[in-house]
C-alpha cells in the first residue's frame, strides 16, 4: 500500500507537506521523482512533497497500488461566515467591501491589492468591524515607510469616527511637529492609551525594548497588528524583520503591500512567516526556490518551483488589480536622450575608470556595484562626479518637458534616485512654477506640510522628490504627468512610485516619462526592470507563462559581464 499523509513541513517551505510511504519499486520511485520539488529522508524513508502535488501523486500512483490518504482537517469551514455590519462614514467601493469581508473571515493574511486601490481604507474598516464584532481593544499600525504615519492619521480621520495616535508625535503651540526619543516612545506605549488606532514606524521595531513593550503590555491589548508596505521587512536577519517576527500575540494580522515581490520569491518569506503561513527556516526556503551560481557559491542567479510559491501566496492573500476601477489610462513613455559631447565623454571616462576630471569621487573599477552607481550618476547629474562644467542631457530634456507640460495646464512630479540631481534641476526651474523639493534630507515632520502646499496651492506646478522618500504611501493625483530622471532597480518600487498619480482620485489620463540615455547603463536597468516585472506578473497576477527564458534572463542580470 502507498500511504500519503499530510503533516507539518520538515524540509520544504509552507505549513504542511505530503509525506509518502511506498513499497520499494523502481517504477514508483521514477514516477514520484518525475513530480519534482521533493525531499527524501533516508532515515525515515519518507518522501516529502508540497501539498500542491497531491493530484499528480494520486493520479500517477494509483496504477501501482492502493493509495491511502490522510489529510489535515480544515476547521475554517466550520465557522459561520462573518459579514460587515457597520454603516460607514464614507461608503467603500465594491472591491473594498470584498476586502472587509475577507478580513472578517481570515485572521492572518496578505492584502496585496495594487497601489492606488485604497488598501488603507479597507484596513481601517476591517479594524472597525472587528472592534464592533470581536471587541477589539487596539489596532496597531506599523508603517513600513516612516513618512506615511501622517497619511494614516489623516485617512483615519476622513474615513472613520475612531480615534488615532502616532506614538512619539509632539505638536508645538506654533504647530511644529517633532518626535520624542525611542525611550520616551517605549514609556508612552506602556502607559494606558485611549485611542483605538495606534500608529508607529517600522524602525521602532529595531529596539527590542519597544517590541517587548508591545508584547507584554498590561495597559493596552494590541489584538490586531497591521504592517503597511510589508515589503520593507523582506530582509531576514535585519533588526526590524526580527522585531516584526517577535510580534506573535495578536490574533489578527494583516501584511499589506502592492509589491510583495521586488526581486524574487525570497521577498515573500518574512511576510509569510509573520502571518504564520510559513514553517520553514529561511535557509530551507531559499534552497527550495533558488538556483545558485556555480562560480560564486551562495549567489542566487535564478528561481525555481515558482508554481509552488504562487499557490502558497494565493492561499493566504487577496489581490486585485486596477482593472476593477474605471481609472484614467496610464501611458508609459520611454524617451531615449542623446548625450551632448561633454556628457558622453564624461560617461565614457567613468566607464573606463579614467580619473581625468572626475575630481569629486573615487573610481573603483574592480567594485561592480560602486562602478554601476557612478555610471548611473554620470547619466543623471555629472556635477555629482566633477566640478567641470558638464551639462546633464537628462536635466536639459526634463526642463523642456516641464515647460511643455505646464504650458498645457498640467502639473508634474519629477522623481530621481539622487538628491543632487534634483538640487541641480530646481536651480533651473522657473520660480513661477513654485517648485517643491522633498528628499531624504527633508524631515518627516515637514513632509505632510509640503505635500499639502503642493496640493492646495494652485500656483505650485512641480514637485521634485527622490522616489525613496515619496514613492510609497502618498497620493499626488493633482499631477497627471511624472518624469523619472532615473529609476529604481526593481519594477515593484517603480510601479509604486508611478501609482502616486494613478490611483483613486485621478481624473485625467496619466503619462509616465522614463528618460534613458542612449547606449548607457540606463538601457540595462530598463531591461532588468522589465525582467523582474515578468516574475511578479506570473507569481502574483498569473499574467504570463513562466519558462526557461525567465531563468536565463535572471542569470544574465547577475552576470557581471553584462554590466
Amino acid at each position: 500500500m502507498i500511504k500519503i499523509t499530510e503533516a507539518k513541513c520538515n524540509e520544504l517551505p509552507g505549513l504542511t507537506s505530503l509525506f509518502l510511504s511506498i513499497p520499494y519499486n523502481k517504477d514508483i520511485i521514477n514516477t514520484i521523482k518525475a513530480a519534482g520539488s521533493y525531499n527524501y529522508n533516508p532515515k525515515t524513508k519518507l518522501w516529502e512533497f508540497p501539498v500542491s502535488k497531491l493530484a499528480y501523486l494520486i493520479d500517477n500512483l494509483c496504477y501501482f497500488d492502493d493509495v491511502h490518504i490522510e489529510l489535515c482537517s480544515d476547521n475554517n469551514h466550520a465557522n459561520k461566515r462573518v459579514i460587515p455590519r457597520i454603516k460607514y462614514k464614507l461608503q467603500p467601493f465594491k472591491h473594498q467591501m470584498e476586502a472587509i469581508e475577507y478580513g472578517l473571515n481570515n485572521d492572518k493574511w496578505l492584502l496585496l491589492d495594487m497601489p492606488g486601490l485604497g488598501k488603507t481604507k479597507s484596513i481601517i474598516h476591517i479594524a472597525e468591524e472587528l472592534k464592533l464584532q470581536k471587541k477589539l481593544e487596539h489596532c496597531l499600525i506599523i508603517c513600513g515607510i516612516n513618512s506615511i504615519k501622517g497619511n494614516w492619521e489623516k485617512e483615519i480621520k476622513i474615513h472613520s469616527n475612531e480615534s488615532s495616535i502616532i506614538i512619539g508625535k509632539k505638536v508645538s503651540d506654533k504647530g511644529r511637529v517633532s518626535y520624542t526619543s525611542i525611550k520616551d516612545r517605549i514609556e508612552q506605549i506602556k502607559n494606558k492609551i485611549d485611542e483605538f488606532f495606534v500608529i508607529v514606524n517600522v524602525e521602532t521595531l529595531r529596539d527590542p525594548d519597544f517590541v517587548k513593550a508591545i508584547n507584554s503590555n498590561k495597559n493596552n491589548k494590541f489584538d490586531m497588528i497591521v504592517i503597511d508596505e510589508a515589503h520593507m521587512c523582506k530582509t531576514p536577519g535585519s533588526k526590524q524583520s526580527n522585531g516584526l517576527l517577535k510580534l506573535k500575540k495578536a490574533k489578527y494580522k494583516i501584511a499589506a503591500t502592492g509589491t510583495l515581490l521586488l526581486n524574487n520569491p525570497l521577498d515573500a518569506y518574512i511576510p509569510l512567516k509573520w502571518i504564520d503561513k510559513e514553517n520553514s527556516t529561511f535557509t530551507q526556503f531559499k534552497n527550495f526556490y533558488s538556483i545558485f551560481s556555480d562560480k560564486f557559491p551562495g549567489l542566487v542567479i535564478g528561481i525555481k518551483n515558482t508554481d509552488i510559491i504562487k499557490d502558497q501566496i494565493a492561499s493566504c492573500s487577496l489581490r486585485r488589480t486596477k482593472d476593477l476601477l474605471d481609472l484614467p489610462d496610464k501611458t508609459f513613455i520611454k524617451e531615449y536622450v542623446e548625450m551632448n559631447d561633454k556628457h558622453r565623454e564624461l560617461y565614457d571616462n567613468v566607464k573606463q575608470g579614467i580619473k581625468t576630471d572626475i575630481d569629486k569621487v573615487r573610481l573603483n573599477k574592480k567594485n561592480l556595484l560602486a562602478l554601476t552607481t557612478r555610471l548611473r550618476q554620470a547619466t543623471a547629474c555629472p556635477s555629482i562626479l566633477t566640478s567641470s562644467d558638464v551639462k546633464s542631457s537628462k536635466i536639459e530634456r526634463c526642463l523642456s518637458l516641464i515647460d511643455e507640460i505646464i504650458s498645457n495646464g498640467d502639473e508634474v512630479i519629477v522623481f530621481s534616485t539622487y538628491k543632487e540631481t534634483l538640487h541641480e534641476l530646481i536651480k533651473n526651474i522657473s520660480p513661477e512654477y513654485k517648485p517643491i523639493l522633498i528628499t531624504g534630507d527633508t524631515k518627516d515632520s515637514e513632509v505632510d506640510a509640503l505635500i499639502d502646499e503642493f496640493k492646495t496651492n494652485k500656483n505650485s506646478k512641480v514637485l521634485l522628490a527622490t522616489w525613496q522618500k515619496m514613492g510609497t504611501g502618498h497620493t499626488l493625483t493633482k499631477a497627471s504627468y511624472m518624469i523619472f530622471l532615473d529609476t529604481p532597480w526593481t519594477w515593484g518600487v517603480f510601479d509604486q512610485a508611478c501609482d502616486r498619480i494613478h490611483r483613486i482620485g485621478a481624473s485625467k489620463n496619466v503619462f509616465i516619462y522614463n528618460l534613458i540615455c542612449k547606449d548607457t547603463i540606463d538601457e540595462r536597468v530598463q531591461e532588468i526592470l522589465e525582467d523582474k516585472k515578468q516574475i511578479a506578473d506570473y507569481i502574483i497576477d498569473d499574467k504570463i507563462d513562466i519558462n526557461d527564458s525567465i531563468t536565463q534572463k535572471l542569470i544574465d542580470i547577475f552576470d557581471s559581464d553584462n554590466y
Side-chain angles (χ1 to χ4, degrees):
M1 176 182 287
I2 298 171
K3 187 176 181 180
I4 302 177
T5 305
E6 184 184 7
K8 184 178 178 180
C9 295
N10 185 14
E11 293 294 331
L12 302 187
L15 290 178
T16 61
S17 292
L18 301 176
F19 292 87
L20 272 68
S21 173
I22 62 172
Y24 181 78
N25 180 306
K26 287 185 177 180
D27 291 333
I28 295 178
I29 291 173
N30 290 334
T31 299
I32 62 176
K33 281 185 175 180
S37 309
Y38 64 85
N39 179 74
Y40 178 68
N41 188 325
K43 292 183 178 180
T44 63
K45 297 183 179 180
L46 293 176
W47 300 78
E48 182 179 1
F49 283 88
V51 174
S52 59
K53 296 293 184 180
L54 179 61
Y56 170 89
L57 294 171
I58 294 174
D59 289 346
N60 289 277
L61 296 180
C62 64
Y63 294 103
F64 298 102
D65 203 342
D66 292 336
V67 179
H68 178 72
I69 305 171
E70 293 181 5
L71 301 180
C72 296
S73 61
D74 185 358
N75 295 321
N76 292 332
H77 295 294
N79 299 326
K80 183 178 179 181
R81 188 151 194 86
V82 182
I83 61 173
R85 288 165 46 185
I86 289 176
K87 184 176 181 180
Y88 302 109
K89 190 174 179 180
L90 294 174
Q91 183 59 34
F93 289 96
K94 181 181 177 183
H95 73 278
Q96 291 171 327
M97 288 300 302
E98 292 171 353
I100 294 166
E101 187 167 346
Y102 188 96
L104 292 178
N105 292 279
N106 294 272
D107 294 347
K108 299 171 184 179
W109 57 289
L110 306 172
L111 178 54
L112 304 181
D113 285 351
M114 287 185 70
L117 289 182
K119 291 188 290 295
T120 300
K121 179 177 172 64
S122 298
I123 291 168
I124 290 169
H125 293 324
I126 291 168
E128 286 182 310
E129 290 281 0
L130 289 173
K131 180 182 181 183
L132 173 69
Q133 301 193 42
K134 303 293 183 180
K135 308 304 179 184
L136 204 70
E137 185 175 319
H138 286 295
C139 176
L140 180 68
I141 307 291
I142 302 171
C143 298
I145 307 290
N146 191 31
S147 62
I148 65 175
K149 291 184 296 187
N151 185 64
W152 267 96
E153 187 179 41
K154 287 181 180 178
E155 290 291 301
I156 290 168
K157 188 174 182 179
I158 292 170
H159 297 291
S160 172
N161 293 316
E162 297 292 343
S163 56
S164 68
I165 184 172
I166 298 176
I167 297 298
K169 181 179 178 181
K170 292 171 58 180
V171 182
S172 69
D173 294 338
K174 295 182 180 180
R176 180 170 295 178
V177 176
S178 61
Y179 290 91
T180 61
S181 67
I182 187 67
K183 184 178 180 181
D184 290 335
R185 291 185 222 182
I186 292 170
E187 290 304 312
Q188 183 181 1
I189 211 162
K190 284 181 179 179
N191 295 327
K192 179 64 178 174
I193 297 174
D194 296 326
E195 290 81 5
F196 174 63
F197 288 101
V198 180
I199 305 168
V200 301
N201 57 298
V202 74
E203 288 84 2
T204 56
L205 301 186
R206 296 174 184 173
D207 191 304
D209 290 333
F210 191 89
V211 174
K212 184 178 178 181
I214 295 172
N215 281 333
S216 57
N217 203 303
K218 296 179 180 179
N219 293 314
N220 308 293
K221 185 179 180 183
F222 300 105
D223 316 86
M224 176 178 177
I225 300 179
V226 176
I227 172 72
D228 189 23
E229 307 302 345
H231 59 276
M232 299 303 294
C233 285
K234 66 183 179 66
T235 307
S238 69
K239 289 184 178 180
Q240 62 193 40
S241 293
N242 288 340
L244 179 68
L245 292 179
K246 289 177 181 176
L247 298 178
K248 299 177 180 180
K249 291 187 176 182
K251 180 178 180 181
Y252 306 100
K253 293 181 180 180
I254 302 176
T257 174
T259 51
L260 180 66
L261 304 185
L262 295 178
N263 294 296
N264 56 53
L266 304 185
D267 295 340
Y269 178 76
I270 293 295
L272 288 170
K273 189 79 171 178
W274 180 64
I275 63 169
D276 302 323
K277 303 299 181 183
E278 179 56 63
N279 285 329
S280 69
T281 65
F282 180 65
T283 299
Q284 291 170 333
F285 193 88
K286 185 176 182 179
N287 288 339
F288 188 75
Y289 290 119
S290 302
I291 299 171
F292 295 96
S293 168
D294 293 330
K295 188 188 297 185
F296 304 103
L299 176 64
V300 177
I301 60 171
I303 58 175
K304 61 182 180 180
N305 297 324
T306 52
D307 56 328
I308 309 298
I309 188 68
K310 178 182 172 184
D311 291 341
Q312 184 180 6
I313 292 172
S315 70
C316 59
S317 68
L318 189 62
R319 166 77 170 182
R320 277 78 57 78
T321 66
K322 290 182 181 176
D323 296 339
L324 293 170
L325 300 177
D326 187 21
L327 288 178
D329 291 340
K330 179 171 64 173
T331 302
F332 291 99
I333 302 168
K334 287 191 288 187
E335 181 164 322
Y336 290 88
V337 178
E338 290 279 0
M339 286 180 167
N340 60 58
D341 291 342
K342 280 191 174 181
H343 196 177
R344 170 58 67 182
E345 182 180 2
L346 177 95
Y347 179 84
D348 289 343
N349 285 344
V350 174
K351 187 175 180 180
Q352 296 166 22
I354 299 174
K355 298 181 181 180
T356 306
D357 293 332
I358 313 298
D359 55 358
K360 288 189 176 183
V361 299
R362 295 179 63 184
L363 291 181
N364 183 355
K365 195 174 181 183
K366 293 182 179 179
N367 187 320
L368 178 62
L369 179 60
L371 181 59
T372 301
T373 299
R374 297 309 181 203
L375 288 173
R376 298 195 74 194
Q377 290 172 334
T379 66
C381 187
S383 63
I384 297 176
L385 307 174
T386 179
S387 56
S388 300
D389 184 21
V390 180
K391 300 295 184 185
S392 167
S393 306
K394 277 190 179 181
I395 288 178
E396 289 179 339
R397 177 53 183 151
C398 185
L399 289 167
S400 176
L401 280 172
I402 289 171
D403 288 338
E404 182 182 341
I405 290 165
I406 293 175
S407 67
N408 288 322
D410 292 296
E411 289 79 25
V412 59
I413 310 294
V414 180
F415 275 132
S416 176
T417 304
Y418 309 107
K419 63 182 180 181
E420 295 89 349
T421 310
L422 299 175
H423 283 294
E424 189 68 26
L425 180 62
I426 202 169
K427 291 178 188 177
N428 297 283
I429 293 178
S430 171
E432 294 180 5
Y433 299 159
K434 303 293 182 185
I436 290 174
L437 177 65
I438 302 177
T439 71
D441 293 334
T442 309
K443 294 180 180 178
D444 290 326
S445 57
E446 299 172 356
V447 170
D448 287 341
L450 289 170
I451 293 174
D452 287 343
E453 172 68 13
F454 176 70
K455 289 180 177 180
T456 58
N457 187 344
K458 65 179 181 180
N459 295 318
S460 182
K461 303 293 184 181
V462 188
L463 175 64
L464 313 175
T466 52
W467 52 261
Q468 298 95 318
K469 188 73 171 182
M470 290 293 296
T472 304
H474 298 286
T475 297
L476 303 171
T477 49
K478 177 184 178 182
S480 54
Y481 283 80
M482 183 176 286
I483 301 171
F484 281 87
L485 285 162
D486 39 56
T487 66
W489 282 98
T490 58
W491 180 265
V493 176
F494 175 70
D495 202 32
Q496 279 267 15
C498 293
D499 285 333
R500 298 312 96 208
I501 65 174
H502 191 246
R503 58 200 297 110
I504 293 173
S507 58
K508 297 181 181 179
N509 289 341
V510 165
F511 299 89
I512 312 291
Y513 280 87
N514 185 4
L515 301 187
I516 302 168
C517 282
K518 289 185 66 176
D519 303 318
T520 70
I521 188 70
D522 289 349
E523 294 179 326
R524 185 65 184 135
V525 173
Q526 186 63 31
E527 291 175 12
I528 292 171
L529 275 178
E530 292 170 0
D531 289 341
K532 290 181 178 179
K533 178 180 184 297
Q534 290 186 63
I535 297 168
D537 279 349
Y538 170 71
I539 295 175
I540 302 298
D541 290 327
D542 198 22
K543 285 185 179 178
I544 63 170
D545 292 326
I546 200 161
N547 51 47
D548 292 340
S549 66
I550 298 294
T551 298
Q552 186 57 51
K553 286 178 182 178
L554 284 173
I555 293 172
D556 290 343
I557 289 171
F558 289 96
D559 183 348
S560 61
D561 293 339
N562 285 292
Y563 285 103

